[in-house]
């Protein structure tokens, strides 16, 4: 089931009603059943996979805890200690390998099959004929279960945290199963940490009727982002990326910018709906986005975009690899590894890998810039200060300091320049993310310099089929999106506070009314055009 | 009193909008065309809400 499918309109009120009526101590059971129903609604067998991943990780975590307890008791005997350490590592390896093997089979089998196929094809074309056939079949026949990447990472973080003794093992399997399968965040995150979600799920009196309105309002914002902004812009983006040979420079630039908005609204819209639904149930999900396109550097962008995944990679891959502790070259190497894996996580295709590598390269440049250029300029400035004396030198040093701080300074004009530059870099990388293949992306990039004239702009308008009505509506939609962002930023969407104030009550009701009406009309429009797409991140 | 008049006006506008939308739909307007007045109204009410909220907070 998806948040945008019609059956969700019945499912959610039913769950809320049952939650209200059921005794608090059985609420976990109700939510677990609802989560499995939500997940298995259209493809029932995926529930078995989810249950398998949940059980194996919980079992391994339990074994690790048991071994750790034994460790503490028998620490005096060194031979026994080694044995138990090995035992602990075995259960950790099993707890990591089993979900990863599942993920590999369903997500990457076809991709790696094709790689093997092409390698064998280069070595001996004839002998690989059978293998080639098999790999193509595999990639075609295996259906990717929705959300497998997300819940696999959740199970991994649980097992690793237990191994690192950051967490105590949850002995109640039901609560743990609910943590892995909690339906608002099951299919596309945020990738919740057990330390945040598990204690909330265990609270018996978490359901309060006064949570309903703020949650509902957040859900509406999410639906607006998804159905009105993302799906509306999708048709222009799809038209451009479907014909990479025909699209000219302005078309590539416009498509990249529109896709940047589309993917943000699609994914953050999903997260808003998830947070809204969870909020109605009295559970606070972690923040996944913090207005990423206002970032002043790529490093900052990754502190604002898909926070749950970024922090996961930082905690479980980047820091264990050494992070920035083992010198600059090792740090660069670690960054590249993390972004290579991040690209691969997003999809089993080379263009995703390339997208990850582009971001890795951006960050490498950022690290080198911060390490060498800034230090060099500061060094030159301090030398000038020493040699020329304080009277003249102070003036020189100030100007050099200005050079040093120009790029990282706080002045609004430099901040704007940094934001714009970061946005250009991010949009450029999105071309590789959205294109069907690497060659399509390269074709589009090679067209970037062409057609910057009236003919090119006319060709772009024709290709994207932009009418004056579309143009006006797009401007209005983006204005409303910006206003909603402002609401979110100022925490004005806290409907409980607004409702207490008589003056804003009426306007807030009107906003909610027109928001619902707009969402319904946009949804019907997309349904009538068969264009109501699933969330982009469902495929990951 | 002022508040009541404003509430009544908002209610009648909403009623008018819904009736207008149905009428336009019956007369053959496309759903995309219906989206425009809704977007205009939504933007207007959002701006008004933000301004009012700002004033109230002051």
């Amino acid at each position: 089931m998806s948040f945008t499918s019609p059956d969700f309109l019945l499912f959610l009120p039913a769950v809320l009603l049952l939650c209200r009526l059921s005794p608090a101590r059985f609420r976990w059971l109700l939510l677990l059943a609802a989560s499995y129903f939500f997940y298995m609604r259209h493809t029932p067998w995926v529930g078995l996979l989810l249950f398998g991943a949940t059980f194996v990780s919980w079992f391994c975590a339990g074994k690790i805890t048991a071994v750790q307890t034994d460790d503490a008791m028998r620490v005096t005997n060194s031979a026994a200690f080694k044995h138990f350490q090995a035992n602990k590592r075995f259960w950790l390896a099993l707890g990591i390998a089993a979900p990863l093997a599942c993920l590999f089979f369903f997500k990457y089998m076809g991709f790696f099959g094709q790689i093997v196929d092409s390698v064998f094809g280069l070595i001996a074309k004839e002998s690989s004929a059978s293998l080639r056939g098999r790999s193509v079949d595999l990639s075609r026949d295996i259906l990717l279960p929705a959300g497998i990447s997300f819940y696999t990472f959740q199970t991994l973080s649980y097992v690793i945290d237990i191994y690192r003794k950051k967490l105590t093992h949850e002995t109640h399997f039901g609560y743990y199963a609910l943590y892995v399968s909690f339906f608002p965040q099951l299919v596309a995150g945020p990738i919740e940490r057990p330390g945040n979600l598990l204690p909330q799920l265990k609270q018996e009196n978490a359901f309060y009727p006064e949570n309903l309105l703020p949650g509902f309002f957040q859900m509406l914002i999410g639906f607006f982002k998804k159905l009105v902004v993302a799906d509306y812009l999708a048709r222009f983006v799809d038209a451009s990326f479907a014909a990479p040979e025909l699209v000219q420079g302005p078309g590539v630039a416009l498509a990249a910018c529109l896709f940047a908005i589309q993917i943000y609204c699609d994914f953050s819209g999903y997260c808003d709906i998830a947070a809204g639904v969870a909020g109605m149930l009295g559970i606070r999900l972690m923040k996944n986005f913090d207005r990423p396109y206002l970032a002043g550097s790529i490093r900052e962008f990754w502190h604002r975009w898909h926070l749950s995944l970024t922090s996961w990679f930082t905690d479980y891959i980047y820091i264990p690899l050494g992070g920035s502790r083992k010198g600059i070259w090792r740090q660069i190497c670690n960054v590249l590894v993390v972004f290579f894996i991040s690209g691969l996580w997003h999809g089993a295709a080379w263009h995703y890998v390339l997208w990850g590598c582009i971001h890795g390269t951006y960050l490498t440049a950022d690290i080198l810039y911060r390490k060498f250029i800034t230090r060099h300029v500061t060094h030159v400035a301090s030398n000038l200060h020493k040699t020329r004396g304080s009277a003249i030198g102070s003036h020189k040093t100030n100007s050099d300091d200005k050079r040093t701080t120009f790029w990282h300074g706080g002045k609004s004009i430099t901040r704007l320049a940094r934001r714009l530059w970061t946005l250009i870099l991010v949009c450029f990388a999105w071309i590789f993310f959205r294109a069907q293949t690497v060659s399509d992306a390269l074709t589009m990039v090679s067209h970037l310099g062409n057609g910057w004239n009236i003919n090119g702009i006319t060709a772009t308008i024709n290709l994207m089929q932009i009418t004056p009505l579309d143009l006006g509506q797009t401007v209005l939609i983006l204005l409303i999106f910006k206003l909603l962002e402002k609401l979110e930023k100022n925490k004005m969407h806290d409907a409980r506070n607004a409702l207490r104030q008589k003056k804003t009550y009426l306007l807030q009701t009107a906003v909610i009314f027109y928001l619902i009406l707009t969402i319904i009309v946009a949804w019907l429009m997309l349904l009538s055009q068969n264009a109501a797409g699933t969330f982009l991140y469902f495929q990951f | 009193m002022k508040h009541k008049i404003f509430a009544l006006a908002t209610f009648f506008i909403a009623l008018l909008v819904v009736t207008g939308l149905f009428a336009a739909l019956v007369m053959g307007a496309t759903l995309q065309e219906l989206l425009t007045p809704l977007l205009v109204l939504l933007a207007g009410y959002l701006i008004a809400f933000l301004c009012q909220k700002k004033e109230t907070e002051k």
Side-chain angles (χ1 to χ4, degrees):
Chain A
M1 196 188 296
S2 163
F3 290 150
T4 50
S5 61
D7 34 4
F8 184 71
L9 293 179
L10 293 174
F11 172 79
L12 183 63
V15 171
L16 291 172
L17 190 70
L18 288 171
C19 265
R20 182 83 184 112
L21 298 176
S22 66
R25 66 178 189 280
F26 293 125
R27 202 161 289 143
W28 69 268
L29 192 61
L30 177 75
L31 285 176
L32 185 64
S35 298
Y36 269 81
F37 176 77
F38 179 87
Y39 192 55
M40 294 163 69
R41 175 85 175 87
H42 295 297
T43 32
W45 65 270
V46 293
L48 284 175
L49 200 68
L50 175 64
F51 181 80
T54 308
F55 183 75
V56 169
S57 56
W58 180 76
F59 183 76
C60 291
K63 284 285 180 190
I64 292 168
T65 309
V67 173
Q68 276 167 348
T69 317
D70 286 346
D71 265 355
M73 287 163 66
R74 305 183 188 206
V75 76
T76 46
N77 185 340
S78 66
F81 180 73
K82 274 181 190 167
H83 168 72
F84 282 110
Q85 278 294 102
N87 213 352
K88 205 169 100 174
R89 282 198 202 106
F90 168 75
W91 289 115
L92 173 73
L94 188 67
I96 292 174
L100 279 183
C102 253
L103 183 67
F104 181 83
F105 179 77
F106 285 100
K107 194 167 176 177
Y108 301 106
M109 197 67 168
F111 177 62
F112 284 101
Q114 278 169 1
I115 293 173
V116 171
D117 180 24
S118 53
V119 169
F120 271 78
L122 284 172
I123 296 166
K125 275 188 176 176
E126 284 174 21
S127 62
S128 69
S130 59
L131 185 71
R132 187 182 299 127
R134 208 185 311 151
S135 70
V136 169
D137 280 344
L138 274 172
S139 58
R140 195 175 52 206
D141 295 342
I142 298 172
L143 179 77
L144 180 68
I148 189 168
S149 310
F150 290 91
Y151 69 71
T152 300
F153 272 33
Q154 283 200 185
T155 57
L156 293 183
S157 67
Y158 181 76
V159 175
I160 296 168
D161 281 356
I162 292 286
Y163 179 80
R164 289 176 177 172
K165 297 180 185 174
K166 281 185 176 174
L167 205 71
T168 48
H169 177 52
E170 176 52 62
T171 48
H172 193 300
F173 179 68
Y175 284 132
Y176 177 70
L178 181 57
Y179 153 70
V180 178
S181 66
F182 185 52
F183 75 89
Q185 50 91 61
L186 169 64
V187 187
I191 303 166
E192 279 291 338
R193 297 299 177 83
N196 176 41
L197 192 57
L198 260 171
Q200 294 190 71
L201 294 172
K202 287 168 82 174
Q203 278 177 6
E204 288 192 348
N205 295 316
F207 187 85
Y208 296 110
E210 56 264 35
N211 287 332
L212 290 178
L213 199 55
F216 180 67
F217 195 59
Q218 194 163 8
M219 249 180 75
L220 283 183
I221 291 177
F223 275 120
F224 183 86
K225 282 183 184 173
K226 165 65 185 160
L227 292 171
V228 185
V229 189
D231 285 354
Y232 191 89
L233 298 180
R235 61 196 175 105
F236 307 122
V237 175
D238 291 349
S240 301
F241 280 91
E245 308 85 22
L246 301 176
V247 68
Q248 302 221 25
V252 177
L254 185 63
C257 291
L258 291 181
F259 180 68
I261 302 170
Q262 186 204 344
I263 194 165
Y264 172 60
C265 287
D266 191 284
F267 195 21
S268 77
Y270 173 88
C271 292
D272 281 336
I273 299 169
V277 174
M280 284 174 159
L281 295 163
I283 287 154
R284 249 182 118 86
L285 296 182
M286 71 182 286
K287 199 176 178 182
N288 222 8
F289 290 94
D290 185 16
R291 299 187 299 154
Y293 295 135
L294 294 183
S297 66
I298 292 293
R299 180 194 293 250
E300 198 187 334
F301 173 78
W302 282 104
H303 284 114
R304 287 166 173 261
W305 178 273
H306 204 174
L307 294 168
S308 61
L309 184 72
T310 310
S311 64
W312 198 98
F313 278 129
T314 308
D315 290 351
Y316 300 106
I317 298 180
Y318 180 69
I319 291 172
L321 282 175
S324 57
R325 300 186 305 275
K326 296 185 177 176
I328 188 165
W329 301 112
R330 181 68 183 268
Q331 184 189 0
I332 287 168
C333 199
N334 294 340
V335 165
L336 289 172
V337 167
V338 165
F339 276 93
F340 176 82
I341 296 170
S342 172
L344 206 57
W345 180 89
H346 279 86
W350 284 114
H351 63 102
Y352 289 119
V353 176
L354 198 56
W355 169 79
C357 291
I358 288 170
H359 271 280
T361 315
Y362 288 163
L363 268 176
T364 304
D366 188 80
I367 292 166
L368 288 173
Y369 175 81
R370 277 165 200 268
K371 200 81 181 174
F372 294 116
I373 308 292
T374 314
R375 194 170 61 185
H376 173 72
V377 174
T378 318
H379 182 68
V380 169
S382 63
N383 277 351
L384 275 169
H385 178 71
K386 278 177 196 168
T387 51
R388 295 193 177 188
S390 59
I392 311 164
S394 61
H395 172 69
K396 290 285 178 188
T397 308
N398 281 343
S399 73
D400 282 324
D401 279 349
K402 274 179 192 167
R403 276 169 58 201
T404 322
T405 54
F406 172 76
W407 198 241
H408 295 289
K411 282 189 177 173
S412 58
I413 186 78
T414 55
R415 209 182 309 140
L416 191 72
R418 278 190 288 133
R419 282 176 178 175
L420 201 65
W421 176 237
T422 309
L423 189 63
I424 290 168
L425 291 178
V426 170
C427 287
F428 177 77
W430 283 136
I431 297 173
F432 290 86
F433 190 91
R434 175 59 183 81
Q436 302 290 329
T437 58
V438 174
S439 66
D440 280 1
L442 291 175
T443 308
M444 289 182 81
V445 169
S446 69
H447 289 180
L448 253 175
N450 307 337
W452 289 96
N453 48 36
I454 293 294
N455 291 340
I457 293 168
T458 316
T460 302
I461 291 169
N462 290 338
L463 183 73
M464 290 188 173
Q465 295 175 332
I466 303 172
T467 60
L469 180 68
D470 289 329
L471 208 64
Q473 285 187 342
T474 308
V475 171
L476 270 173
I477 286 170
L478 294 180
L479 172 74
I480 295 168
F481 167 63
K482 190 72 202 151
L483 292 170
L484 288 174
E485 285 258 292
K486 207 168 180 183
L487 268 183
E488 275 187 319
K489 184 196 160 199
N490 296 339
K491 302 277 177 202
M492 285 187 197
H493 65 283
D494 192 349
R496 266 176 302 180
N497 293 338
L499 279 174
R500 282 190 203 119
Q501 293 168 353
K502 221 177 176 182
K503 279 183 182 172
T504 53
Y505 165 74
L506 204 68
L507 283 171
Q508 170 135 0
T509 314
V511 166
I512 290 176
F513 176 76
Y514 289 110
L515 207 51
I516 293 173
L517 221 56
T518 313
I519 289 165
I520 291 171
V521 171
W523 189 44
L524 289 175
M525 188 178 90
L526 294 163
L527 283 178
S528 68
Q529 294 169 351
N530 280 330
T534 50
F535 290 92
L536 289 173
Y537 265 69
F538 274 24
Q539 59 187 307
F540 308 140
Chain B
M1 189 63 191
K2 195 178 160 190
H3 186 74
K4 274 182 187 167
I5 292 169
F6 188 57
L8 216 64
T10 310
F11 174 74
F12 277 114
I13 290 171
L15 207 67
L16 208 70
V17 166
V18 174
T19 320
L21 285 181
F22 271 109
L25 208 59
V26 170
M27 286 164 74
T30 61
L31 285 162
Q32 199 190 347
E33 284 163 352
L34 296 187
L35 209 58
T36 315
L38 286 174
L39 289 171
V40 172
L41 277 164
L42 180 58
Y45 274 108
L46 262 171
I47 291 166
F49 175 63
L50 282 166
C51 293
Q52 183 74 63
K53 186 84 185 162
K54 220 173 190 177
E55 254 179 46
T56 318
E57 278 171 356
K58 274 180 188 173

